[in-house]
Amino acid sequence: MSVDRLPVLKTYKLFLGGAFPRTESGRSWPIEGRKGEVFAHLCLGSRKDLRNAVVAARKAQDGWSRRDAYNRGQVLYRMAEMLEGKTAEFASAMAETVPGGVRRARKEVEAAVDRLVAYAGWADKFSQVLGCNNPVAGPFYNFTVAEAMGVVGVVAPKEEALLGLVSLLAPVLVAGNTAIVIGSETDPLATALFGEVCATSDVPPGVVNLITGKREELLEVMATHRDIDGLAAAQCSKGERILLESGIAENLKRVTIEKVKGKDWYDVEQMHSPYRIQPFVEMKTIWHPSGS
Amino acid sequence: MTRITVDKVAVEARAASFTTRSIKQSAKLQGLGMVVAMTDLTTLEGKDSAEKVRALCRKAICPDPALKSVPSVAAICVYPRWVAEAKAQLVGSGVSVASVATAFPSGQVDLKTKLRDVEDAVKAGADEIDMVIHRGAFLSGDYTVVSDEIRATKIACGAAHLKVILETGELETYDNVVVASELAIEAGADFIKTSTGKISPAATMPVTLVMLEVIRRHFLSTGQMIGMKPAGGIQTAKQALHYLVMVKETLGDAWLDPKWFRFGASSLLNDVLLQLHRQETGTYTATYDVTES
């Protein structure tokens, strides 16, 4: 006698400090598929989740920035490998909620893999591009190096949820920063899935923290949190931009809002540039007695 | 003395039940202020110096200049050699000077040296003495030795308050904690204190609950109030609030007073200040929002 097998559905959770907790608020969030049916329930992250994420990110930051640049590149490349292996899963899940079908979704996942590989390559090279030797009058060797900024908040764009998230995240990570990501609220599924990529890629716990939730609840908290050192965002409305910029001005942090949308996310020329790392580093100039 | 056997499972379950209360908004604010006022701000390190002690005293008087409503802490707690320095800094501030004595933290010297240690601290101006019991004697069953040492120390203290450190992390069982607490109270302790902070585990909620219950039974049979000081391992404002809930629900409001309940801590104060900043400004804080020591 054969019995129909019950499918085992995935519980989508947050990714904080290297673990997959449910939201502290206990709230869930029904995600509709393209035909209006409920496709999944995600965690509706709260400001306390964000606070916990900052604690985890701060704890992980020193260790991550002390890693060899080469090793950070290896970890990013590993993320690319893991995402590549999950292309089909990502594509079919994303096609459930985003117009354009599996073919479009697949193209987005592949572009995200390529983006990770591109920034993995920059890991031990961007410092040579952004840094410099400075001629000075005197027997000194004077040079400027790029150092990690610290803990960076990432506000992923609403559309191209996966590619946009990865595009904002990769330059932040490669410079030795740790990140707290608020995923797309129109298509949060990719964010919920991306934790599985991070968890299997030797990304140290706390280096990447992913929250699914509503911008209107989380943006202000992220902008005003004094332990976040900088922000990377994209596709913000005027109101959201004002909220981010005024919130962050209170504690003198830097916010970078990329004006990228649609096809631009696939523009390799623009999106693989090392100068996209620049907003997330602090320049340190060193005077060194040259001795000759 | 009636021997009591502590139900380990029940004590731990009851202690855990105090951590589930929701304390928010004004109650939280009030609780946090109370925690500050009950703190014995402590530095007991080999690297303590005059400037470290002075900095600690300044912080004790005014924990955070940006938060006007925050009270001073109850006391600062230092080694005997820094008592005079601390006393000079704290004069007129209302903050007491507590000093560990009796060859803290091990207590492994003869009684004569211990008493000399106490007398020196009192002479230098200590208002409170934190002594350690002779755990070796206690665990060997020589309760009289332990008791006599506490009595002698109490006499050496004169007008200074005596806190007796049981070092519960070395006493092995809750039953032993009960016996040691009763011994200390009977021998003249004004306060009983869990730990030196040098041994792990230091203060835990269950062990503090066991000691609070001894204080409660002593009060019910004699009418005399004894103070309680958990020390070591209490690092967050949230933990401290859990302790306050436990004190309130075990001993009642009378003990929610710096005169009867203290926290021995060094990093707790900063976490409380960060929480108060958060309540005041509405934004989440960074560690650099408060001073280091």
Side-chain angles (χ1 to χ4, degrees):
Chain A
M1 194 178 82
S2 81
V3 178
D4 280 348
R5 195 178 157 275
L6 275 176
V8 178
L9 299 177
K10 184 174 285 178
T11 310
Y12 295 97
K13 296 190 279 189
L14 307 178
F15 183 63
L16 302 181
F20 291 94
R22 289 186 168 79
T23 169
E24 171 277 340
S25 65
R27 302 177 303 175
S28 68
W29 185 17
I31 302 303
E32 287 181 0
R34 299 212 39 228
K35 289 170 203 136
E37 81 289 4
V38 173
F39 173 75
H41 283 88
L42 297 197
C43 287
L44 184 54
S46 69
R47 61 191 169 87
K48 284 198 176 167
D49 294 319
L50 202 148
R51 178 196 63 181
N52 295 343
V54 175
V55 173
R58 176 58 67 196
K59 204 171 145 206
Q61 202 272 321
D62 189 54
W64 179 240
S65 68
R66 278 171 194 277
R67 294 240 181 161
D68 295 342
Y70 180 70
N71 182 237
R72 282 200 299 272
Q74 286 177 308
V75 172
L76 256 75
Y77 191 83
R78 180 82 179 152
M79 288 168 81
E81 289 177 358
M82 290 299 114
L83 186 54
E84 175 91 9
K86 285 172 164 286
T87 305
E89 185 193 356
F90 268 81
S92 71
M94 284 156 67
E96 291 285 343
T97 57
V98 189
V102 176
R103 270 183 64 183
R104 189 219 64 86
R106 204 179 168 85
K107 208 175 124 218
E108 187 183 335
V109 181
E110 284 164 357
V113 172
D114 294 351
R115 190 117 322 147
L116 285 168
V117 172
Y119 280 97
W122 279 121
D124 55 359
K125 299 170 192 74
F126 78 89
S127 189
Q128 296 90 306
V129 178
L130 302 181
C132 52
N133 287 334
N134 313 308
V136 286
F140 300 103
Y141 179 47
N142 186 292
F143 53 104
T144 300
V145 292
E147 291 194 336
M149 191 180 203
V151 174
V152 176
V154 174
V155 183
K158 293 167 200 156
E159 288 148 15
E160 322 300 321
L162 176 68
L163 180 58
L165 187 159
V166 169
S167 301
L168 294 186
L169 181 63
V172 166
L173 289 187
V174 80
N177 302 295
T178 52
I180 298 121
V181 183
I182 301 176
S184 160
E185 111 178 34
T186 29
D187 178 28
L189 209 50
T191 315
L193 278 172
F194 193 66
E196 294 172 26
V197 171
C198 301
T200 51
S201 317
D202 304 321
V203 177
V207 169
V208 178
N209 303 278
L210 303 165
I211 299 174
T212 47
K214 307 257 185 204
R215 278 190 180 191
E216 59 169 331
E217 287 183 355
L218 299 173
L219 279 200
E220 191 183 357
V221 185
M222 189 178 248
T224 56
H225 197 310
R226 291 173 57 81
D227 213 19
I228 292 179
D229 299 312
L231 285 184
Q235 210 182 0
C236 292
S237 69
K238 193 176 172 206
E240 288 168 342
R241 187 167 56 77
I242 291 170
L243 189 69
L244 288 178
E245 286 178 348
S246 55
I248 210 138
E250 278 298 312
N251 47 55
L252 306 174
K253 307 285 169 57
R254 206 181 298 153
V255 57
T256 308
I257 301 176
E258 294 209 52
K259 293 196 180 67
V260 182
K261 54 182 182 192
K263 283 209 182 93
D264 295 348
W265 289 112
Y266 297 87
D267 177 359
V268 216
E269 197 79 12
Q270 184 193 344
M271 297 311 295
H272 288 184
S273 162
Y275 293 101
R276 290 184 63 245
I277 303 171
Q278 199 161 25
F280 310 106
V281 295
E282 300 291 352
M283 294 309 217
K284 180 164 85 179
T285 295
I286 298 159
W287 294 70
H288 196 281
S290 64
S292 64
Chain B
M1 207 168 6
T2 41
R3 291 301 298 272
I4 291 226
T5 304
V6 178
D7 182 341
K8 182 169 179 284
V9 174
V11 159
E12 284 167 6
R14 176 138 178 83
S17 76
F18 298 119
T19 65
T20 57
R21 309 286 191 279
S22 175
I23 300 163
K24 307 270 180 205
Q25 310 293 335
S26 63
K28 182 175 178 187
L29 218 52
Q30 199 186 349
L32 292 176
M34 199 178 262
V35 171
V36 174
M38 288 173 167
T39 298
D40 282 2
L41 195 56
T42 302
T43 183
L44 297 170
E45 287 172 12
K47 65 180 181 184
D48 287 350
S49 63
E51 189 45 52
K52 173 97 190 278
V53 171
R54 284 196 286 269
L56 201 73
C57 289
R58 288 190 285 270
K59 185 144 180 160
I61 297 170
C62 177
D64 194 326
L67 297 165
K68 293 277 180 282
S69 57
V70 173
S72 300
V73 304
I76 80 149
C77 184
V78 291
Y79 275 117
R81 69 154 26 175
W82 301 114
V83 169
E85 181 68 52
K87 195 71 191 167
Q89 295 295 318
L90 295 171
V91 71
S93 68
V95 177
S96 303
V97 178
S99 174
V100 294
T102 67
F104 179 94
S106 72
Q108 294 286 17
V109 297
D110 58 68
L111 182 60
K112 206 173 79 188
T113 314
K114 287 184 183 178
L115 295 179
R116 172 78 196 282
D117 201 16
V118 174
E119 283 156 11
D120 286 349
V122 173
K123 212 177 291 170
D127 306 293
E128 301 166 5
I129 296 293
D130 291 24
M131 72 167 290
V132 289
I133 65 164
H134 190 339
R135 282 91 74 191
F138 181 86
L139 292 172
S140 314
D142 300 333
Y143 296 160
T144 332
V145 174
V146 180
S147 190
D148 288 349
E149 281 200 6
I150 299 172
R151 263 181 243 282
T153 309
K154 174 69 180 171
I155 293 166
C157 281
H161 273 235
L162 176 64
K163 303 192 198 112
V164 178
I165 304 172
L166 308 183
E167 194 63 301
T168 52
E170 290 185 341
L171 296 188
E172 315 288 350
T173 66
Y174 291 132
D175 288 359
N176 278 345
V177 173
V178 171
V179 174
S181 301
E182 286 174 345
L183 267 182
I185 292 170
E186 204 195 343
D190 297 300
F191 262 73
I192 49 176
K193 173 173 167 183
T194 57
S195 325
T196 59
K198 304 288 184 198
I199 295 278
S200 183
T204 63
M205 299 235 351
V207 93
T208 306
L209 179 59
V210 167
M211 292 166 73
L212 290 172
E213 288 290 353
V214 174
I215 292 172
R216 191 168 77 96
R217 283 195 298 125
H218 180 75
F219 176 74
L220 291 176
S221 62
T222 67
Q224 185 199 12
M225 287 172 81
I226 300 291
M228 174 72 210
K229 176 175 170 183
I234 306 167
Q235 285 162 354
T236 66
K238 199 172 195 172
Q239 277 177 298
L241 290 174
H242 293 159
Y243 274 84
L244 291 187
V245 170
M246 182 161 73
V247 171
K248 184 180 165 68
E249 296 189 16
T250 309
L251 294 174
D253 289 350
W255 264 266
L256 288 180
D257 185 306
K259 203 174 162 214
W260 301 112
F261 190 78
R262 297 280 181 84
F263 291 104
S266 45
S267 54
L268 170 64
L269 181 61
N270 269 350
D271 193 60
V272 173
L273 294 177
L274 287 174
Q275 296 295 319
L276 287 168
H277 270 283
R278 157 100 182 106
Q279 297 283 329
E280 190 127 317
T281 60
T283 57
Y284 285 117
T285 52
T287 44
Y288 56 71
D289 285 332
V290 290
T291 58
E292 252 180 51
S293 71

